[in-house]
């Protein structure tokens, strides 16, 4: 992600909001490289997967970013020219909404974050990073916290193991929320937030965010496929 703070007269405004103008949900395709777009399957390279865009976004929120812009959210092609030398005209970038308009697992992650922000966005944007002490979290589990102005607590929990699911329980204390026994189940590379109201006395009183979403109903009345009978290729000089 490309992050920045407001600048004035050559001096950083340390209290200004932190923003990501180009939150990297994907990457460009080089000429002659395998495109990230595959129209017949919900396909993502490992390094720009649904888990990656979820983890990158929540990690940014944990560390205080309050303005986020995906690059790209909706993929497409720049038919007028290339972005740079050896960069293909496609701007699909393995985007949550693909160039063909399709959506899949990656879109579900972004939709879930959007639904979370509808309810918690203003509180998270003004939340203050809060020290949190944990015991028994395991070497792959990273924990952070932010506290809203009304006392609500957001505990950020990340499974840094990109290959294996992690589950267990840890004890956490942050401010007035003391000795919370927090059970967790995280897929490989997964990142979740435990939201606890100010008066919550146990993890069971909270809510895990973002909540899972469902794909839209697929149309069944669709036109027949159009076969491509010939293809011409011209080398990029």
């Amino acid at each position: 992600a490309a992050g920045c703070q407001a600048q004035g007269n050559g001096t950083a405004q340390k209290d200004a909001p932190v923003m990501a103008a180009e939150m990297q949900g994907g990457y460009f395709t080089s000429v002659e490289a395998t495109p990230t777009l595959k129209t017949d399957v919900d396909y993502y390279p490992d390094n720009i997967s649904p888990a990656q865009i979820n983890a990158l976004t929540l990690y940014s929120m944990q560390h205080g970013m309050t303005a986020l812009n995906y690059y790209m959210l909706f993929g497409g092609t720049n038919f007028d020219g290339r972005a740079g030398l050896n960069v293909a005209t496609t701007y699909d970038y393995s985007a949550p909404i693909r160039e063909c308009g399709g959506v899949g697992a990656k879109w579900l992650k972004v939709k879930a974050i959007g639904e979370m922000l509808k309810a918690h966005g203003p509180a998270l944007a003004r939340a203050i990073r809060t020290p949190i002490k944990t015991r028994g979290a395991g070497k792959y589990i990273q924990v952070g916290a932010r506290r809203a102005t009304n006392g609500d607590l957001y505990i950020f929990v990340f499974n840094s193991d990109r290959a294996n699911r992690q589950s267990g329980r840890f004890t956490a204390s942050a401010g007035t929320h003391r000795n919370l026994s927090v059970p967790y189940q995280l897929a490989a590379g997964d990142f979740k937030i435990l939201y606890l109201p100010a008066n919550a006395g146990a993890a069971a009183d909270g809510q895990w965010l973002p909540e899972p979403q469902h794909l839209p109903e697929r149309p069944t009345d669709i036109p027949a496929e159009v076969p491509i009978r010939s293809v011409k290729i011209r080398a990029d000089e």
Side-chain angles (χ1 to χ4, degrees):
C4 61
Q5 285 185 297
Q7 301 283 325
N9 297 324
T11 303
Q13 299 176 23
K14 295 181 179 180
D15 294 331
V18 183
M19 68 171 294
E22 294 186 7
M23 178 69 71
Q24 295 288 357
Y27 205 59
F28 64 78
T29 301
S30 299
V31 174
E32 297 185 351
T34 301
T36 58
L37 174 64
K38 295 187 178 180
T39 56
D40 57 338
V41 290
D42 191 30
Y43 165 81
Y44 312 95
D46 291 339
N47 63 333
I48 45 178
S49 65
Q52 181 264 355
I53 198 170
N54 175 72
L56 180 61
T57 306
L58 298 189
Y59 179 86
S60 298
M61 292 180 182
Q62 177 186 335
H63 290 274
M65 283 198 177
T66 57
L68 304 172
N69 175 64
Y70 288 117
Y71 191 91
M72 307 290 292
L73 176 66
F74 197 145
T77 294
N78 177 13
F79 290 103
D80 189 49
R82 298 177 302 180
L85 183 64
N86 200 39
V87 178
T89 57
T90 176
Y91 265 69
D92 179 68
Y93 271 54
S94 191
I97 304 175
R98 310 310 298 272
E99 181 170 355
C100 57
V103 294
K106 200 167 188 177
W107 177 79
L108 289 178
K109 291 294 187 183
V110 172
K111 184 176 187 295
I113 292 170
E115 293 296 329
M116 175 187 75
L117 292 179
K118 286 181 181 179
H120 298 273
L124 276 170
R126 293 165 176 80
I128 303 300
R129 191 171 183 177
T130 302
I132 184 168
K133 295 182 179 180
T134 63
R135 299 193 309 273
K139 70 175 184 177
Y140 291 109
I141 303 302
Q142 300 176 10
V143 183
R146 298 188 72 84
R147 187 174 295 281
T149 55
N150 66 353
D152 292 354
L153 184 67
Y154 296 88
I155 300 178
F156 293 75
V157 187
F158 174 47
N159 174 17
S160 62
D161 188 345
R162 305 298 177 87
N164 301 292
R165 173 182 294 273
Q166 298 291 329
S167 61
R169 183 181 297 270
F170 62 84
T171 301
S173 295
T176 57
H177 292 84
R178 309 294 298 175
N179 297 318
L180 298 169
S181 180
V182 180
Y184 62 88
Q185 295 185 13
L186 297 169
D190 199 7
F191 204 135
K192 293 182 179 179
I193 300 173
L194 177 59
Y195 163 67
L196 292 166
N199 60 356
D205 299 328
Q207 177 187 15
W208 283 102
L209 302 170
E211 294 185 303
Q213 301 294 307
H214 301 285
L215 288 171
E217 184 177 349
R218 302 296 192 186
T220 57
D221 184 17
I222 57 177
E225 295 180 352
V226 177
I228 298 176
R229 307 218 179 264
S230 64
V231 176
K232 295 182 179 180
I233 300 176
R234 187 183 70 175
D236 182 354
E237 298 176 356

